[in-house]
Amino acid sequence: MHDFKFKKKRLFAEDVDLAQIVNNVGTPAFVYSRKTLLDRFNEIKNAFKKIDPLICYSMKANSNLSICKLLVKEGAGLDIVSGGELYRAKKVKVAAKKIVFASVGKTDEEITEAIKSNILFFNVESISELKRINVIAKDLKKKQKVAIRVNPDVDAKTHHYITTAKKQNKFGVDIKTTNSIFLTYAKKLKNIDICCIHIHIGSQITTISPFVQAVKKTVALIDGLNSKGACITHLNIGGGLGIIYKDEKPQTVEQYAKAIMPIIKNKGLKLIMEPGRFIAGNSGVLLTKIIHVKETSVKRFYIIDAAMNDLLRPAFYEAYHEIVATKKTKGKKKKSADIVGAVCESGDFLAKGRQLPDDLKQNDILAVMSAGAYGFSMSSNYNSRKRAAEVLVSGKKYQLIRRRESYSDLIRNEIVVNI
Ligand code: PLP
């Protein structure tokens, strides 16, 4: 599953004792396992090897340059959603023809930069955007390949904040609109080539049927469009594969591949995928120190030096992360506690009512598991807190891949005026 395991009562990342990282780097710190990252990427690659898809790692899950570089060197393309992610993609020297660009609100500046960079596809989310890409491509004297992001209206059966393919969601265009785009614009807009259909139905999806439903609907749509003269050569099925945070039993990637590949067999379509969480989620932990143990008349709080600004998922979606002490304590007795940060919000918690060893104390280190995806990348400076350090472990070695922010980092772009 992943490479964070107890050896003689101490938690290790691969062959590195996490206590060593805490001593040298401090807390809070995200620690990633190189091996888990590569294993997860290669699991997908192997499961789909018969059809050799383009696997564009979804940078939003974790866009640290070292992590992206590691995956790019292993053969990944990148799924980006902003000019900032394009900038990062270029820094890790991914081939431009392995970049796909989604987002409901691409600005002219972002579109221009991406066309100039020769990216593979824009995943287009509205007619307005389609026209804009055409105008900008014309100005640049280019013809740009685009995918239409179709909203197939399937229920991904996941948290409503990460459901993206219901009619009510802001993402993509519905099937009817997709048909009319081909009728009305495909020939008229001379500087775009609509040759891909893209779907992404949500994230942390643990059952296979929503994927199957969505891909079947999309392939039927492509068949229909191609029979009417369109030339759709690519299908992008997005990301969304769920992982184990607690006791979920998600489909394996092999089961996923076995369900998807027959649907697209003999269709002559090149498959693109955009996994994020599946690759990065269980590849990272967040190390944090207990600052205070606070007992009230109703409960115990462990107040830690990480907070919602470091890992937003619990506050944002009430997401569950397993939390363990990095050193097994002697005490067998467990006690329920809330694990909270120092941010001035009642919503600032990493866990509630969690059974933890009764003898945990000040300065003990906790590991928040499965924090590799949507952890650091969603972090902020709220309450003027410095963002955490990031560390990459490989076997017996580890390296800092992002320095902890300093106070001067916090005010770097501010201008103090006299008014
Ligand atoms: N592709 C698109 C368009 C997305 O919006 C997302 C996540 O929101 C992903 C891919 C990655 O999803 P996941 O991390 O669930 O694989």
Side-chain angles (χ1 to χ4, degrees), residues 58 60 79 102 149 198 200 202-204 239-241 274-277 374:
S58 192
K60 64 177 82 58
D79 158 41
R149 176 168 178 177
H198 171 238
H200 169 74
S203 197
Q204 185 53 15
L241 282 169
E274 302 172 339
R277 189 188 310 272
Y374 307 103

Side-chain angles (χ1 to χ4, degrees), residues 165-177:
K166 291 289 292 164
K167 270 191 196 135
Q168 298 79 355
N169 300 129
K170 67 178 173 181
F171 301 100
V173 295
D174 60 27
I175 289 183
K176 206 167 138 218
T177 312

Side-chain angles (χ1 to χ4, degrees), residues 56 58-61 79-81 102-103 123 125 149 162 164 171 198-200 202-205 236 238-242 273-279 373-374:
C56 294
S58 192
M59 284 178 86
K60 64 177 82 58
D79 158 41
I80 65 169
V81 285
S103 155
N123 296 333
E125 310 230 13
R149 176 168 178 177
I162 46 178
T164 53
F171 301 100
H198 171 238
I199 52 171
H200 169 74
S203 197
Q204 185 53 15
I205 300 168
N236 181 339
L241 282 169
M273 304 170 72
E274 302 172 339
R277 189 188 310 272
F278 183 81
I279 293 174
Y374 307 103

Side-chain angles (χ1 to χ4, degrees), residues 82-84 86 101 105-115 122:
S82 68
L86 176 59
F101 189 169
K106 303 174 191 83
T107 63
D108 282 4
E109 188 191 356
E110 288 174 325
I111 294 170
T112 306
E113 190 55 36
I115 296 177
F122 284 100

